[in-house]
């Protein structure tokens, strides 16, 4: 089950905490990856750690022309086909609405939502021809619940969910599924920096009593990317230890 | 029948899975050949590949029949 041998995938934000866990999970199931990120050094170091015949593609997702070129570069690097697109890259620019700058809004929308749209649009073409494709986007629990200080981020993540439902309907007849994974609180450098009181307040909201791990997200992506999930489309799989049951 | 017409009809038959006799020049992709909007997008992609032409969106929107496609491709070659 969930064997991805012979399949190729483009993962954005691949050197980040969740992105690297997703890449490791896809590679462990046999997929060959194009790892994309903005920091070449970090990306190369991660590719070396991962081993195997994976490619790296540096891309600034805030640059529309660079984003439009990325899928073509990935297809070329991966030997002419792209089975799986994972829109993982995301940024935050948190601020209360009264203080939020125009750029804080537009930067988050550009990287989190518009880049996902551009990549999905470009990936749909080879996937339609192949009559097979998996588009998996990483959204967030706050895209569904909202979160104070994250109007921009929550809007971008909610946007991804709506977009995925529309694409799922457009592309289902061509063997392409479009789904989301919505992480809750995942252990990262950011959560490690929280003090005990902050951690306690977060954990009190999570029935599972613990933060999630990157591997929890990687496993969800592997499932949605697999042939076995071919009848699942337009869905958001929440991976949050029960903190929001939606 | 022109060479372009033959190649266009072959692509239409393959993509839409319809019988060759139904693919007359007057046939409308949507009304007569059962195509949906996504099929049209795919047909345009296939024409672009087969003939090495670029069919911009505003031109693609006007391609409703087999003849429309043949005429557009001939005009670009």
């Amino acid at each position: 089950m969930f064997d991805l041998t012979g399949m190729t995938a483009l993962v954005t934000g691949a050197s980040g905490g969740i992105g690297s866990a997703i890449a490791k999970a896809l590679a462990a199931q046999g997929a060959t990856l194009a790892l994309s990120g903005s920091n070449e050094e970090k990306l190369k170091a991660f590719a070396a750690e991962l081993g195997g015949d994976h490619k790296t593609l540096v891309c600034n997702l805030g640059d529309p022309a660079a984003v439009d070129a990325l899928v073509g570069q990935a297809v070329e690097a991966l030997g002419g086909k792209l089975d799986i697109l994972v829109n993982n890259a995301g940024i935050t620019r948190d601020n209360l609405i009264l203080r939020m700058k125009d750029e804080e809004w537009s930067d988050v929308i550009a990287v989190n939502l518009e880049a996902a749209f551009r990549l999905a649009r470009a990936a749909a073409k080879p996937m339609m021809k192949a009559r097979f494709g998996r588009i998996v986007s990483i959204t967030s629990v706050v895209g569904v619940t909202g979160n104070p200080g994250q109007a921009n981020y929550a809007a971008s993540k909610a946007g991804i969910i709506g977009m995925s439902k529309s694409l799922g309907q457009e592309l289902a007849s061509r063997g392409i599924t479009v789904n989301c994974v919505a992480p809750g609180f995942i252990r990262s450098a950011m959560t490690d920096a929280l003090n005990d009181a902050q951690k306690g307040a977060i954990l009190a909201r999570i029935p599972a009593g613990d933060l999630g791990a990157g591997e929890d997200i990687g496993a969800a992506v592997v499932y949605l990317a697999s042939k076995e999930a071919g009848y699942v489309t337009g869905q958001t799989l929440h991976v949050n230890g029960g903190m929001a049951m939606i | 029948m022109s060479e372009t017409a033959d190649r266009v009809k072959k692509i239409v038959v393959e993509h839409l899975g319809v019988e060759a006799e139904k693919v007359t020049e007057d046939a409308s992709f949507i009304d007569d050949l059962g195509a949906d909007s996504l099929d049209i997008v795919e047909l345009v992609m296939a024409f672009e590949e087969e003939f090495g032409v670029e069919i911009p969106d505003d031109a693609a929107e006007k391609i409703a029949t087999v003849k429309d496609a043949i005429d557009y491709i001939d005009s670009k070659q």
Side-chain angles (χ1 to χ4, degrees):
Chain A
M1 295 265 273
F2 315 132
D3 182 15
L4 306 180
T5 303
M7 289 165 75
T8 61
L10 168 62
V11 181
T12 66
S15 58
I18 290 178
S20 60
I22 292 168
K24 281 179 189 166
L26 293 171
Q29 296 307 110
T32 303
L33 310 179
L35 306 163
S36 179
S38 54
N39 183 328
E40 183 167 15
E41 211 172 304
K42 255 178 98 179
L43 208 54
K44 288 258 157 62
F46 174 62
E49 180 195 332
L50 196 58
D53 189 26
H54 306 294
K55 318 293 177 189
T56 58
L57 296 168
V58 178
C59 183
N60 169 11
L61 292 184
D63 175 356
V67 178
D68 284 341
L70 183 60
V71 165
Q73 291 163 355
V75 169
E76 201 183 326
L78 294 169
K81 73 184 196 105
L82 181 65
D83 301 299
I84 304 161
L85 166 65
V86 182
N87 286 311
N88 163 69
I91 59 171
T92 55
R93 297 281 183 272
D94 297 355
N95 218 336
L96 293 172
I97 189 83
L98 291 172
R99 304 221 178 282
M100 190 171 286
K101 313 276 180 298
D102 287 1
E103 300 73 43
E104 289 170 343
W105 173 268
S106 55
D107 288 355
V108 167
I109 297 295
V111 172
N112 295 8
L113 181 56
E114 189 178 330
F117 149 69
R118 289 179 180 278
L119 295 174
R121 180 174 63 181
K125 201 168 173 178
M127 288 176 177
M128 271 169 67
K129 278 192 190 165
R131 291 290 189 272
F132 181 87
R134 297 282 183 264
I135 299 175
V136 182
S137 298
I138 308 306
T139 172
S140 166
V141 64
V142 310
V144 180
T145 63
N147 199 27
Q150 293 198 307
N152 48 3
Y153 184 76
S156 72
K157 294 301 186 180
I160 287 179
I161 293 173
M163 180 178 79
S164 298
K165 289 177 179 177
S166 300
L167 301 189
Q169 292 178 38
E170 281 185 33
L171 301 172
S173 64
R174 301 304 191 267
I176 303 168
T177 67
V178 189
N179 292 289
C180 295
V181 174
F185 275 104
I186 303 300
R187 207 169 292 116
S188 67
M190 197 177 74
T191 57
D192 288 344
L194 299 172
N195 64 36
D196 284 350
Q198 289 170 317
K199 269 187 199 162
I202 290 170
L203 291 178
R205 294 165 54 200
I206 304 175
D210 197 3
L211 299 175
E215 291 74 24
D216 295 320
I217 308 306
V221 173
V222 163
Y223 166 64
L224 292 171
S226 70
K227 292 195 174 75
E228 285 81 357
Y231 202 54
V232 178
T233 195
Q235 302 301 311
T236 298
L237 181 48
H238 288 269
V239 182
N240 61 26
M243 73 175 275
M245 298 185 180
I246 310 145
Chain B
M1 199 190 298
S2 75
E3 191 218 352
T4 305
D6 281 343
R7 286 158 72 192
V8 164
K9 287 180 186 177
K10 188 160 174 279
I11 288 171
V12 173
V13 167
E14 278 172 14
H15 271 263
L16 300 181
V18 290
E19 288 161 27
E21 303 84 74
K22 284 193 171 173
V23 187
T24 61
E25 299 213 352
D26 299 334
S28 154
F29 293 118
I30 291 175
D31 296 336
D32 300 320
L33 301 176
D36 63 19
S37 52
L38 197 58
D39 289 320
I40 304 277
V41 173
E42 284 190 311
L43 280 171
V44 167
M45 277 161 47
F47 295 149
E48 287 180 328
E49 203 160 290
E50 170 77 15
F51 295 98
V53 295
E54 191 161 328
I55 306 178
D57 288 345
D58 55 342
E61 280 165 18
K62 294 192 188 100
I63 295 177
T65 66
V66 176
K67 187 171 185 308
D68 293 339
I70 296 166
D71 289 349
Y72 183 83
I73 292 160
D74 275 340
S75 76
K76 295 291 157 191
Q77 288 193 325

